[in-house]
């Protein structure tokens, strides 16, 4: 998905300036809207990037604080204020409030045409969505299809600058919601979806920070990834570091989710990906039942390889 921190890289948004809420710039943008009336916040669903010229509030700049609070409460991705005749400058107290809430607040010069900006952002979002769907389809075909023509799948992946001719391994991240003691504290379906999206973002950010490009797909309460396998002596240590980073980030985010990670041996031919996935499943099973740690590699299972293959 397109992140807030990537906005300034788009041509029409070169003059966009972040004025508050830097901590929230990792947020994904689901869509964009131009809103002018505070009441319009009622219709937001979360994840939107909102643009406001101020024509609907005119000289009543005090209402901007309420708008920022409402945007934060509704989990809007960010707010762009068009600085000009209706909003001469963003009040200091509004900037302070946005920083307190870690809510991304931007200012954009009046001269910039909003129609060009919103069109560019929407096109970028749709392009990312098409790419994500195509990548998921490639992974689904490799892991769950018959993989009858691996060269076709490799060529499709190459369109996104990804080389499937190199060795890979399958890694699975399983997440499940913690049981809540008080039924009155049960969250809404929207909250559950947000937590799933958050854990998916944490996983991809961890691999991105480690410099590993991955292909992935989501299935129910798990993420399946094809990750490059360089075969080096330190590869296991690097994957363990990534697994630890994922679990630590999930815990730091105070999500009501428990995560487990398992990964299989490397393979060179795409037809062997299913075997690596089966190994990752076994490693995941150990991670979820051993009580020692929440991540395991198939290579390190030892006696568990035998134990979990005994039916009785």
């Amino acid at each position: 998905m397109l992140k807030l921190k990537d906005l300034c890289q788009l041509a029409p948004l070169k003059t966009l300036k972040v004025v508050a809420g830097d901590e929230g710039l990792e947020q994904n943008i689901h869509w964009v809207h131009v809103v002018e009336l505070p009441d319009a916040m009622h219709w937001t669903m979360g994840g939107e990037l909102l643009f406001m010229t101020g024509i609907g509030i005119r000289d009543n700049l005090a209402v901007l604080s309420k708008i920022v609070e409402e945007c934060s409460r509704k989990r809007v991705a960010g707010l762009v204020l068009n600085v000009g005749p209706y909003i001469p400058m963003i009040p200091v107290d509004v900037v302070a409030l946005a920083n307190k809430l870690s809510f991304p607040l931007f200012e954009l010069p009046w001269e910039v045409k909003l129609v060009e900006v919103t069109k560019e952002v929407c096109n970028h979002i749709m392009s990312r969505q098409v790419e994500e769907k195509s990548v998921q389809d490639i992974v689904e075909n490799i892991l769950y299809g018959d993989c009858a023509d691996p060269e076709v799948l490799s060529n499709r992946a190459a369109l996104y600058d990804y080389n499937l001719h190199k060795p890979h391994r399958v890694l699975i991240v399983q997440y499940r919601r913690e049981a809540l003691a008080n039924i009155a504290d049960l969250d809404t379906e929207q909250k559950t979806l947000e937590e799933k999206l958050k854990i998916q973002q944490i996983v991809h950010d961890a691999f991105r920070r480690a410099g590993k490009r991955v292909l992935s797909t989501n299935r129910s309460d798990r993420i399946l990834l094809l990750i490059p396998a360089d075969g080096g002596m330190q590869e296991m240590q690097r994957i363990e570091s990534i697994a630890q980073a994922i679990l630590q980030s999930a815990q730091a985010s105070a999500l009501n989710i428990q995560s487990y990670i398992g990964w299989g041996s490397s393979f060179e031919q795409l037809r062997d990906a299913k075997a690596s996935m089966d190994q990752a499943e076994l490693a995941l099973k150990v991670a979820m039942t051993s009580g020692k740690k929440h991540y395991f590699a198939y290579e390190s299972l030892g006696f568990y390889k035998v134990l979990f293959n005994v039916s009785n």
Side-chain angles (χ1 to χ4, degrees), residues 26 173 195 198-207 209 240-259 261:
E26 289 290 335
V173 179
E195 288 187 339
K198 181 63 177 178
I199 194 67
Q200 291 166 12
Q201 180 180 338
I202 287 173
V203 170
H204 287 282
D205 286 347
F207 279 100
R209 287 194 298 271
E240 285 191 6
S241 297
I242 294 172
Q244 291 171 355
I246 291 171
L247 297 175
Q248 290 170 1
S249 296
Q251 186 176 11
S253 299
L255 297 175
N256 187 42
I257 284 178
Q258 190 67 264
S259 302
I261 304 173

Side-chain angles (χ1 to χ4, degrees), residues 4 18 20-25 27 76-80 98 102-106:
L4 289 172
V18 182
D22 298 62
E23 296 177 0
L25 293 179
Q27 289 286 331
V76 169
L79 175 63
V80 180
S102 297
F103 176 72
L105 185 64
F106 305 83

Side-chain angles (χ1 to χ4, degrees), residues 175-242:
Y175 50 90
R176 61 187 183 192
R177 305 200 79 206
E178 294 285 1
L180 298 175
N182 188 350
I183 195 169
D185 294 333
L186 288 174
D187 294 321
T188 63
E189 183 178 352
Q190 177 66 21
K191 178 65 174 177
T192 303
L193 177 59
E194 289 173 2
E195 288 187 339
K196 285 187 175 184
L197 292 174
K198 181 63 177 178
I199 194 67
Q200 291 166 12
Q201 180 180 338
I202 287 173
V203 170
H204 287 282
D205 286 347
F207 279 100
R208 189 179 299 111
R209 287 194 298 271
K212 281 186 174 288
R213 291 196 65 213
V214 299
L215 299 180
S216 69
T217 187
N218 304 314
R219 279 207 163 199
S220 185
D221 55 355
R222 59 174 45 189
I223 307 168
L224 297 101
L225 304 101
L226 294 180
I227 62 175
D230 56 29
M233 294 294 294
Q234 297 179 336
E235 183 183 0
M236 284 298 103
Q237 295 179 353
R238 287 195 290 271
I239 298 178
E240 285 191 6
S241 297
I242 294 172

Side-chain angles (χ1 to χ4, degrees), residues 101-166:
L101 298 173
S102 297
F103 176 72
L105 185 64
F106 305 83
E107 68 175 28
L108 188 68
W110 183 260
E111 295 77 20
V112 178
K113 297 179 179 179
L114 289 187
V115 65
E116 295 180 359
V117 170
T118 54
K119 179 182 178 181
E120 180 73 14
V121 176
C122 288
N123 286 341
H124 207 79
I125 291 173
M126 289 188 290
S127 176
R128 292 280 184 95
Q129 289 174 341
V130 169
E131 177 178 339
E132 182 179 350
K133 189 176 185 307
S134 181
V135 166
Q136 288 183 350
D137 183 64
I138 293 171
V139 178
E140 290 278 339
N141 272 280
I142 293 172
L143 298 182
Y144 297 101
D146 56 12
C147 206
D149 197 340
E151 194 60 31
V152 171
L153 296 174
S154 296
N155 291 337
R156 287 181 60 190
L159 295 175
Y160 305 109
D161 297 322
Y162 199 91
N163 188 356
L164 280 178
H165 290 106
K166 292 183 177 180

